[in-house]
Amino acid sequence: MTQYSPKVALVTGTGRGIGEAVALELARRGLKVALVARSQSELDRVAAQIRETGGTSMSLPFNLAEVEAIDELVGRVEKELGPVDVLINNAAIAGPFGAGWEVDPEEWTRAIEVNLVAPFRLTRAVLPPMRENNWGRVINISSGAATFPMARAGAYSTTKAALDMISRQFGVELEGTGISVISLYPGIVDTAMQTEIRTQPVEKIGSEMSERFKGYHSSGSLSTAEPVARIIAALSGEAGQEFAGKVINISDPAVQALLNE
Ligand SMILES: NC(=O)c1ccc[n+]([C@@H]2O[C@H](COP(=O)([O-])OP(=O)(O)OC[C@H]3O[C@@H](n4cnc5c(N)ncnc54)[C@H](OP(=O)(O)O)[C@@H]3O)[C@@H](O)[C@H]2O)c1
């Protein structure tokens, strides 16, 4: 049987960090990539890199908190690039920081929209053509924070735990369809999000979290985004079938083996 060859990817949070590296890697592998983030200048920088290497991208400056506009966003991608074969739900915000009784409830709700409702709505929007093709990949970039209450960043761990359940839920509902929805814990990666957390005032995030994140940096434990991107790109191809509906950690040996793909 001939293998399906994905042509179009939509990657959120592509202005910097893990999302930027994923967009560049997928473009290098020949996919047309739709780039989504709020910052136009950061999208322009990534689009220029893709263009320089002969790839194709489409920039969509967009705030994922505007969840009602997500169907239209996907419609624009389908019109310009074609149906989405690969969706990488990567964009997320780490805040608001503070105990549950201290944070602004509206900021908390915004985090739920960006980190959880937007990935769900994007997944729903890309599924119809994937179901027609009997092929699709949705990779939800989750976090180890899904597995424990991240004190003073409760919206973040709440959304990541729920995102994992969404991956598992779609895994059950899409069994046997050729569509894989996967949650990946990317490890600790040297990005703006890490900098944002470790530079928060101790009063906001508490001494345990502050010390832990400063320690990741000072001990040289942070990885670069490129190997994470190579694993995500491999999961976006045939290898993703094996992990359908699963919650996986980048440190798992079976996941590390994807670096050879
Ligand atoms: N870095 C780590 O150590 C680590 C660990 C575990 C999990 N993760 C997960 O990995 C993913 C990527 O993280 P990262 O470290 O690469 O983060 P990052 O450097 O902060 O980048 C986040 C990206 O998301 C975009 N974004 C944020 N809010 C948005 C919104 N409302 N609408 C549209 N785009 C938005 C940002 O662009 P704009 O601000 O311009 O919108 C940016 O391009 C996240 O899901 C994160 O939870 C990271």
Short mmCIF file of all heavy atoms in Angstrom, two decimals, residues 28-60:
data_model
loop_
_atom_site.label_atom_id
_atom_site.label_comp_id
_atom_site.label_asym_id
_atom_site.label_seq_id
_atom_site.Cartn_x
_atom_site.Cartn_y
_atom_site.Cartn_z
N ARG A 28 11.27 22.10 5.84
CA ARG A 28 12.46 21.42 5.29
C ARG A 28 12.08 20.05 4.72
O ARG A 28 12.63 19.58 3.74
CB ARG A 28 13.49 21.26 6.41
CG ARG A 28 14.91 20.97 5.95
CD ARG A 28 15.85 20.79 7.13
NE ARG A 28 15.56 19.61 7.94
CZ ARG A 28 15.83 18.36 7.60
NH1 ARG A 28 16.39 18.11 6.45
NH2 ARG A 28 15.52 17.36 8.41
N ARG A 29 11.07 19.41 5.36
CA ARG A 29 10.62 18.09 4.89
C ARG A 29 9.59 18.21 3.76
O ARG A 29 8.96 17.23 3.38
CB ARG A 29 10.05 17.28 6.06
CG ARG A 29 11.13 16.95 7.10
CD ARG A 29 10.61 16.10 8.23
NE ARG A 29 11.64 15.95 9.27
CZ ARG A 29 11.81 14.90 10.05
NH1 ARG A 29 11.01 13.86 9.94
NH2 ARG A 29 12.78 14.86 10.96
N GLY A 30 9.36 19.43 3.26
CA GLY A 30 8.55 19.61 2.05
C GLY A 30 7.09 19.96 2.29
O GLY A 30 6.32 20.06 1.32
N LEU A 31 6.67 20.16 3.55
CA LEU A 31 5.27 20.55 3.77
C LEU A 31 5.11 22.06 3.62
O LEU A 31 6.03 22.82 3.92
CB LEU A 31 4.80 20.13 5.18
CG LEU A 31 4.43 18.66 5.31
CD1 LEU A 31 5.65 17.80 5.61
CD2 LEU A 31 3.40 18.47 6.43
N LYS A 32 3.93 22.47 3.16
CA LYS A 32 3.57 23.89 3.19
C LYS A 32 3.06 24.16 4.60
O LYS A 32 2.25 23.38 5.11
CB LYS A 32 2.48 24.18 2.15
CG LYS A 32 2.97 23.99 0.71
CD LYS A 32 1.91 24.37 -0.28
CE LYS A 32 1.10 23.16 -0.67
NZ LYS A 32 0.12 23.37 -1.71
N VAL A 33 3.54 25.25 5.21
CA VAL A 33 3.25 25.45 6.63
C VAL A 33 2.49 26.76 6.88
O VAL A 33 2.95 27.83 6.47
CB VAL A 33 4.55 25.44 7.47
CG1 VAL A 33 4.21 25.47 8.96
CG2 VAL A 33 5.40 24.21 7.16
N ALA A 34 1.35 26.65 7.55
CA ALA A 34 0.60 27.84 8.01
C ALA A 34 1.13 28.21 9.40
O ALA A 34 1.16 27.37 10.30
CB ALA A 34 -0.89 27.53 8.06
N LEU A 35 1.57 29.47 9.52
CA LEU A 35 2.21 29.95 10.75
C LEU A 35 1.24 30.83 11.53
O LEU A 35 0.71 31.79 10.97
CB LEU A 35 3.44 30.79 10.40
CG LEU A 35 4.42 30.24 9.35
CD1 LEU A 35 5.42 31.32 8.93
CD2 LEU A 35 5.17 29.03 9.91
N VAL A 36 1.02 30.50 12.80
CA VAL A 36 0.05 31.27 13.61
C VAL A 36 0.71 31.76 14.90
O VAL A 36 1.30 30.96 15.65
CB VAL A 36 -1.18 30.41 13.98
CG1 VAL A 36 -2.15 31.20 14.85
CG2 VAL A 36 -1.88 29.87 12.75
N ALA A 37 0.63 33.05 15.14
CA ALA A 37 1.03 33.68 16.42
C ALA A 37 0.50 35.10 16.38
O ALA A 37 0.03 35.55 15.33
CB ALA A 37 2.55 33.66 16.60
N ARG A 38 0.59 35.81 17.51
CA ARG A 38 0.11 37.20 17.48
C ARG A 38 1.12 38.15 16.84
O ARG A 38 0.74 39.09 16.17
CB ARG A 38 -0.21 37.67 18.91
CG ARG A 38 -1.46 37.05 19.49
CD ARG A 38 -1.55 37.30 20.97
NE ARG A 38 -0.41 36.72 21.67
CZ ARG A 38 -0.21 36.75 22.97
NH1 ARG A 38 -1.10 37.35 23.74
NH2 ARG A 38 0.85 36.18 23.51
N SER A 39 2.40 37.91 17.07
CA SER A 39 3.42 38.87 16.64
C SER A 39 3.73 38.75 15.14
O SER A 39 4.32 37.77 14.69
CB SER A 39 4.69 38.65 17.45
OG SER A 39 5.78 39.25 16.80
N GLN A 40 3.31 39.77 14.38
CA GLN A 40 3.57 39.78 12.93
C GLN A 40 5.07 39.77 12.65
O GLN A 40 5.54 39.05 11.76
CB GLN A 40 2.92 41.04 12.32
CG GLN A 40 3.21 41.25 10.85
CD GLN A 40 2.30 40.44 9.93
OE1 GLN A 40 1.10 40.64 9.91
NE2 GLN A 40 2.89 39.53 9.17
N SER A 41 5.85 40.54 13.42
CA SER A 41 7.28 40.62 13.11
C SER A 41 7.96 39.26 13.33
O SER A 41 8.84 38.88 12.55
CB SER A 41 7.96 41.71 13.96
OG SER A 41 7.80 41.41 15.31
N GLU A 42 7.55 38.53 14.35
CA GLU A 42 8.15 37.21 14.57
C GLU A 42 7.74 36.23 13.45
O GLU A 42 8.55 35.45 12.97
CB GLU A 42 7.77 36.66 15.96
CG GLU A 42 8.44 37.45 17.07
CD GLU A 42 8.34 36.83 18.45
OE1 GLU A 42 7.53 35.91 18.66
OE2 GLU A 42 9.10 37.28 19.34
N LEU A 43 6.48 36.32 13.01
CA LEU A 43 6.04 35.46 11.90
C LEU A 43 6.82 35.80 10.64
O LEU A 43 7.22 34.89 9.89
CB LEU A 43 4.54 35.62 11.65
CG LEU A 43 3.59 35.08 12.72
CD1 LEU A 43 2.14 35.30 12.31
CD2 LEU A 43 3.83 33.59 12.97
N ASP A 44 7.04 37.10 10.40
CA ASP A 44 7.78 37.52 9.21
C ASP A 44 9.18 36.92 9.20
O ASP A 44 9.69 36.48 8.17
CB ASP A 44 7.90 39.06 9.16
CG ASP A 44 6.57 39.73 8.81
OD1 ASP A 44 5.65 39.02 8.38
OD2 ASP A 44 6.48 40.96 8.98
N ARG A 45 9.81 36.92 10.38
CA ARG A 45 11.19 36.39 10.49
C ARG A 45 11.21 34.89 10.16
O ARG A 45 12.06 34.42 9.42
CB ARG A 45 11.67 36.62 11.93
CG ARG A 45 13.15 36.52 12.15
CD ARG A 45 13.50 36.85 13.59
NE ARG A 45 12.70 36.09 14.55
CZ ARG A 45 12.89 34.82 14.86
NH1 ARG A 45 13.88 34.16 14.32
NH2 ARG A 45 12.10 34.20 15.72
N VAL A 46 10.22 34.15 10.66
CA VAL A 46 10.17 32.70 10.40
C VAL A 46 9.84 32.44 8.93
O VAL A 46 10.47 31.60 8.27
CB VAL A 46 9.15 32.01 11.35
CG1 VAL A 46 9.03 30.53 11.03
CG2 VAL A 46 9.55 32.22 12.80
N ALA A 47 8.88 33.22 8.39
CA ALA A 47 8.50 33.04 6.98
C ALA A 47 9.70 33.31 6.07
O ALA A 47 9.90 32.60 5.07
CB ALA A 47 7.34 33.98 6.63
N ALA A 48 10.52 34.31 6.43
CA ALA A 48 11.70 34.63 5.60
C ALA A 48 12.68 33.46 5.60
O ALA A 48 13.25 33.11 4.56
CB ALA A 48 12.37 35.91 6.12
N GLN A 49 12.86 32.84 6.77
CA GLN A 49 13.79 31.68 6.85
C GLN A 49 13.27 30.54 5.97
O GLN A 49 14.05 29.87 5.29
CB GLN A 49 13.88 31.18 8.29
CG GLN A 49 14.62 32.11 9.23
CD GLN A 49 14.66 31.48 10.62
OE1 GLN A 49 15.46 30.59 10.88
NE2 GLN A 49 13.80 31.93 11.52
N ILE A 50 11.95 30.32 5.98
CA ILE A 50 11.38 29.24 5.17
C ILE A 50 11.56 29.55 3.69
O ILE A 50 11.96 28.69 2.90
CB ILE A 50 9.89 29.01 5.54
CG1 ILE A 50 9.80 28.44 6.96
CG2 ILE A 50 9.19 28.09 4.53
CD1 ILE A 50 8.39 28.24 7.50
N ARG A 51 11.32 30.81 3.34
CA ARG A 51 11.46 31.22 1.93
C ARG A 51 12.89 31.02 1.45
O ARG A 51 13.14 30.50 0.37
CB ARG A 51 11.06 32.69 1.81
CG ARG A 51 10.49 33.07 0.48
CD ARG A 51 9.81 34.42 0.44
NE ARG A 51 10.38 35.43 1.28
CZ ARG A 51 9.76 35.96 2.35
NH1 ARG A 51 8.56 35.56 2.69
NH2 ARG A 51 10.35 36.89 3.09
N GLU A 52 13.86 31.42 2.32
CA GLU A 52 15.28 31.32 1.93
C GLU A 52 15.70 29.88 1.63
O GLU A 52 16.61 29.65 0.85
CB GLU A 52 16.17 31.84 3.08
CG GLU A 52 16.39 33.33 3.03
CD GLU A 52 16.86 33.89 4.38
OE1 GLU A 52 17.48 33.13 5.15
OE2 GLU A 52 16.56 35.07 4.63
N THR A 53 15.02 28.93 2.27
CA THR A 53 15.39 27.53 2.03
C THR A 53 14.48 26.87 0.99
O THR A 53 14.45 25.64 0.87
CB THR A 53 15.36 26.74 3.36
OG1 THR A 53 14.08 26.93 3.96
CG2 THR A 53 16.43 27.18 4.31
N GLY A 54 13.71 27.70 0.28
CA GLY A 54 12.90 27.18 -0.83
C GLY A 54 11.56 26.62 -0.41
O GLY A 54 10.85 26.01 -1.22
N GLY A 55 11.17 26.83 0.84
CA GLY A 55 9.89 26.30 1.32
C GLY A 55 8.74 27.28 1.13
O GLY A 55 8.94 28.42 0.69
N THR A 56 7.53 26.81 1.47
CA THR A 56 6.32 27.63 1.32
C THR A 56 5.63 27.77 2.67
O THR A 56 5.45 26.78 3.38
CB THR A 56 5.33 26.94 0.34
OG1 THR A 56 6.00 26.74 -0.88
CG2 THR A 56 4.08 27.77 0.12
N SER A 57 5.25 29.01 3.01
CA SER A 57 4.48 29.21 4.24
C SER A 57 3.44 30.28 4.02
O SER A 57 3.45 30.99 3.02
CB SER A 57 5.41 29.59 5.40
OG SER A 57 5.92 30.88 5.21
N MET A 58 2.54 30.37 4.99
CA MET A 58 1.48 31.39 4.98
C MET A 58 1.43 31.94 6.41
O MET A 58 1.32 31.15 7.35
CB MET A 58 0.16 30.70 4.62
CG MET A 58 -1.04 31.57 4.76
SD MET A 58 -2.55 30.56 4.53
CE MET A 58 -3.78 31.85 4.52
N SER A 59 1.52 33.25 6.55
CA SER A 59 1.52 33.84 7.90
C SER A 59 0.13 34.29 8.29
O SER A 59 -0.54 34.99 7.54
CB SER A 59 2.46 35.05 7.95
OG SER A 59 3.78 34.62 7.77
N LEU A 60 -0.28 33.89 9.50
CA LEU A 60 -1.61 34.26 10.00
C LEU A 60 -1.45 34.90 11.38
O LEU A 60 -1.48 34.18 12.39
CB LEU A 60 -2.50 33.02 10.09
CG LEU A 60 -2.79 32.37 8.73
CD1 LEU A 60 -2.63 30.87 8.81
CD2 LEU A 60 -4.18 32.71 8.25
#
